[in-house]
Amino acid sequence: MTDVVEVAPVVAGVALALIVVLIVLSWVLGIVRYVRADGMLRASMRQAFMIRRRWRRLARLAGLTVTDRTPTFMDELTTKDGKTPKPRVRTPRIVVTGDHYGVIVRAVCLPKVGLEEFQRAAPYLADAWRCTRVSVLPDGPGRVVIRGVRVDPLSAPTDHVPTGEEPADLATWDLGLDEYAEPMNVGLDGVPGMTVAGLPGYGKTSLINKFICDMAPSPAVQFAVADGKVSAAHEGDYADVIGRLFAFVGDDLAEANALFKRLVKLRRDRSASIRNVLGVTNMWHVGPSASWPLTVLVIDEAHTYFRDYKGNDPETKKLAALAAENQRLIEDLVKKGRSVGILVILATQKSTGDAIPTFIRDVCPVGLSFAQRTAEASVAALGDDIRNWPDANPVSLQSPVYRGVASMAIQGRPGYTRIRTPFVDPADAAWVAEATAHLTQDPAELLAAFTGPHGLEAEFEAVEADVA
């Protein structure tokens, strides 16, 4: 016992010294991080410091505290007989970090102070923290994450420089940053078709070019483009990536029709052989590969190929027949291509029924829209519910500040989300396409290597006979 008494002060002194050292070290590291940070990050670090310092008072004012009237063990020991211990006001514990756009606050919920209470208090928190906007989302059981942005991510244009490295995940399309500066992705494994709408010059083609640049280093993705704005491959927005496309057509309806027929035949051949070749009935169960690549058909200015021609002269009748057949072919790809690894991306200015037939547009599970001039165009692109979300309506994105900003519905989130999509320099797109041109393969030829040029047709005929 004597030894313990003698050693106890030494142990307590060492523990106290360690605590002091850790506190000093944390302050030094904080000062170093602050000095090395740029102006934007320093402002966020100061903002985070003030939030931590003032949190207890703000939580009370915002109704984010709970009164605990149950005395603790120490309260019972220290309270005189006959007196009731004072109730304690409990405040959610928080951890605050800053980044270039604002702060991220992670909070632990309390009884009667949960997700709904934090969401109701979001406007007050935004005012108190001097934030443009604040969002509150679940962060696991009993926790919430509060995102406050001091600088609006939507108002600052961003650039994307391709790395030329093979993507780790082929089932995800990185779209950009949402209005809280959080990365926004869309999954491709359950998506047979996507629609991209918006006024000219607001970001449709740049978004698609980014997708091509990011996926081009992988031999497990192959691209075909039908561009209704141009007549030849060396023209327009896709001239820089032409080397990475296994097929390209311009505004000629007959050439587009031939390409669409090729892809429908590929879809049928894959459907007939997928079980024998891959051992599954859905390509996404095993993922794309160099021998069975994800085949992406981009149809830019889609209305060019679906236009309803009126007239009785032979040329107009021919064009009307081609447009009608194009509609049927693309409907086939969108409705039946997902499981065999075919994705159709349709881009147009107004995705109304005369630009993209509704029987095609309405089965595309993903749709996004850049700026629009009319409410009708916004509804056509995003659905009638967009009328209930005026802040996210593409009509409000017509300012030049919002070039590159699109609205879309995100699964699992209420309403619509605005996304800042980055700009891709054509020179960067050109070098990526040139560096990866050797990976370009016709998916039909890759499939024929498994089954032979005649085996596919025979197998498909057998399937048709079984169905009949």
Side-chain angles (χ1 to χ4, degrees), residues 16-17 26 48 52 74 90 120 140 147 156-157 203 252 254 263 297 305-306 308 334 341 347-348 381 388 394 419 428:
L16 181 61
S26 65
R52 285 190 292 266
M74 290 300 299
R90 298 181 59 188
R120 281 198 296 267
R147 176 53 161 155
D252 187 284
L263 291 171
L297 170 61
Y305 308 105
F306 305 140
D308 186 14
V334 172
T348 186
N388 300 321
I419 303 166
D428 289 328

Side-chain angles (χ1 to χ4, degrees), residues 121-423:
Y124 310 115
L125 298 179
D127 292 338
W129 295 345
R130 302 295 189 268
C131 287
T132 302
R133 63 180 69 92
V134 163
S135 74
V136 182
L137 295 173
D139 191 35
R143 298 176 181 272
V144 297
V145 57
I146 309 168
R147 176 53 161 155
V149 288
R150 187 185 66 262
V151 179
D152 189 354
L154 301 178
S155 62
T158 56
D159 296 325
H160 175 71
V161 179
T163 63
E165 298 179 358
E166 186 171 347
D169 184 7
L170 297 178
T172 302
W173 182 354
D174 175 19
L175 297 176
L177 299 177
D178 70 6
E179 52 202 307
Y180 297 98
E182 296 296 326
M184 185 53 57
N185 303 316
V186 60
L188 301 178
D189 53 346
V191 177
M194 299 179 60
T195 60
V196 183
L199 295 174
Y202 273 80
K204 299 190 300 296
T205 304
S206 183
L207 174 69
I208 296 171
N209 266 335
K210 177 183 179 299
F211 176 64
I212 295 176
C213 289
D214 288 346
M215 295 295 185
S218 173
V221 185
Q222 300 296 336
F223 306 93
V225 170
D227 188 358
K229 300 190 297 293
V230 301
S231 299
H234 66 275
E235 304 172 358
D237 299 307
Y238 299 96
D240 296 314
V241 298
I242 195 67
R244 192 58 181 87
L245 310 179
F246 74 85
F248 178 92
V249 296
D251 56 3
D252 187 284
L253 263 64
E255 293 180 1
N257 185 261
L259 172 60
F260 300 159
K261 285 181 176 178
R262 279 175 59 188
L263 291 171
V264 168
K265 182 179 185 304
L266 172 67
R267 197 278 306 165
R268 291 176 174 174
D269 290 344
R270 282 187 169 187
S271 296
S273 59
I274 186 171
R275 187 183 294 274
N276 291 336
V277 175
L278 299 183
V280 295
T281 57
N282 187 334
M283 182 275 291
W284 289 106
H285 292 167
V286 295
S289 63
S291 55
W292 192 294
L294 171 64
T295 303
V296 181
L297 170 61
V298 177
I299 307 178
D300 205 342
E301 301 299 335
H303 54 273
T304 302
Y305 308 105
F306 305 140
R307 177 182 169 187
D308 186 14
Y309 287 88
K310 303 291 185 182
N312 294 320
D313 61 283
E315 182 63 23
T316 302
K317 287 183 177 180
K318 178 182 176 181
L319 293 174
L322 286 171
E325 187 174 19
N326 288 342
Q327 295 178 22
R328 292 194 295 271
L329 294 171
I330 299 305
E331 180 185 15
D332 180 284
L333 292 176
V334 172
K335 289 185 175 180
K336 303 176 183 178
R338 177 188 61 83
S339 62
V340 296
I342 296 177
L343 169 65
V344 181
I345 302 174
L346 301 115
T348 186
Q349 296 177 26
K350 290 173 59 179
S351 55
T352 49
D354 57 339
I356 301 178
T358 55
F359 54 81
I360 296 175
R361 184 193 69 195
D362 293 347
V363 294
C364 292
V366 177
L368 57 90
S369 178
F370 293 86
Q372 296 286 0
R373 290 196 183 280
T374 65
E376 176 197 16
S378 297
V379 169
L382 300 174
D384 192 66
D385 192 43
I386 189 62
R387 299 180 190 273
N388 300 321
W389 301 86
D391 289 343
N393 196 309
V395 173
S396 66
L397 301 177
Q398 295 183 57
S399 168
V401 173
Y402 293 119
R403 290 184 185 274
V405 177
S407 292
M408 70 179 297
I410 304 296
Q411 188 174 10
R413 287 193 184 187
Y416 294 82
T417 299
R418 294 178 295 175
I419 303 166
R420 162 61 70 178
T421 63
F423 172 76

